[in-house]
Amino acid sequence: MSSRPIRAALLSVYHKDRLAPLVQVLRQHGVTLYSTGGTQKFLEDEGAEVTAVEDLTGFPEVFGGRVKTLHPKVFGGILHRRHDEADLAQAEQHGIPPIDLVVVDLYPFEETVASGADEADVIEKIDIGGISLLRAAAKNYRDVLVVSSRDQYEAVAQLLTAKNGATDLEDRRHYAAAAFATTSHYDTEIFGYLAQDTAVAGTALRVSAQPATPLRYGENPHQAGTFYGDLTALFDQLHGKQLSYNNLVDVDAAVALMAEFAEGPLACAILKHTNACGVAQAATLRDAYVNALSCDPTSAFGGVIIVNQEVDAATAAELNQLFFEVLIAPGFAADALPVLQSKKNRILLLQKPVVFAPKQVKTLLNGYIEQDADRQSEGPADFRTVTQSAPTDEETTALEFAGKICKHTKSNTIVLARAGQLLASGVGQTSRVDALRQAIEKARAFGFDLHGAVMASDAFFPFPDCVEIAGAAGIRAVVQPGGSIKDADTIRACDELGMAMVLTGVRHFKH
């Protein structure tokens, strides 16, 4: 039969919060309750009559509680098939009562790892009995309802109330799938912990992320989109519409770029389609924003803005004059927030400390590719001057600034800058020469004089043509990784033009 009443339930949970209302519903329907340890005490404190699992099995908990429910009378009660005469006969022969509901909240393994606990404490939080109970109940969903998360307690209580203590096959299948999602994620986290720094880590890709957050839509409105992961760990959304796929892609790019400017002067970056169309540092946040906007006010329309300090009222007033999709900040002054909230759809994200994943994964063809995240940035200590003239201190500062932006810009890319201000960039071009010409044209279009500016390239120059074009435009210093067989030609061209060039030895392609 599809509908099955719940007559007996096994409860074994780590966290006891939110459990009481579900227990009350079970008691109202006369359900026999089995339990262990701390859960048994909690149920009895709630006034429930409970049968200890050791009384059911005739065997005590052993090894400090490591073995409690791992017994044929428990798993037989869950796994025997109610429609199979042989199973029913064996259950009666061995005195195995049916268990129709299993409620398990697993040991907090993931949280224990995140807390920085030592290995012994982490290992003790690998749940064995609980995860086995979940799998057994989920496998036998034809007869058994499984509850695998305290987030489900309220919904299950409502379900049992509405259906007079019974469940349908569709209900049980739904919760079985959820249980396997729980156990799969749990095992993935354990694998990730134990496999780190071992050869096993590279033999298989295991990725599990939860919860699921529906997005407004995918890359285009006809595509559905979902984010898997805990967004609330990174942001509090203070205002605005639901995030879309493109919003999150841009937010990711913005957060990664601003991480380069976590230290030092106040900074603002404006991004469009993951590329910076304005970046500036200044003595005040308002000036940093104004300078960033001046780089390309056309592209800034509808963009994503990020700052590295609390948004004050003066900055909010300036920001409020522009239509933008998202603003990310580590804080918002009390008199700034109402100004920014005046546009109902504008998304305001309060950023929390960011912990970046060490690996990047993406789908490709019929599989996945994984790589180490690019966490390396080059500064003056990494610059090797290869020309007759060396960059000045101000040019060195500008080269470091330009290089940080270049690293986060789609290849092929050229970045033109002064110390503390992006002037223009050429992004995503199939030719480095085209990227440079695009950058020069954009800089001039927005009124920037390139004389004395610097240039950064994400990869080496295969020919000297780029430095020749840059020199003619007034560029005085260049940073690039080097490594071309024609590096000598490029260096010679710089010397002839009186330009300084430094090499880093590190390429930063971004596709």
Side-chain angles (χ1 to χ4, degrees), residues 11 16 44 56 111 185 370 393 408:
L11 297 91
K16 314 302 188 293
E44 290 171 341
L56 170 66
E111 294 86 344
H185 179 77
E370 178 192 73
D393 289 346
H408 294 274

Side-chain angles (χ1 to χ4, degrees), residues 109 113 186-197 201 206:
F109 175 84
V113 172
Y186 199 78
D187 283 341
T188 297
E189 292 299 314
I190 296 170
F191 168 78
Y193 177 80
L194 293 177
Q196 59 188 340
D197 301 322
R206 299 282 188 272

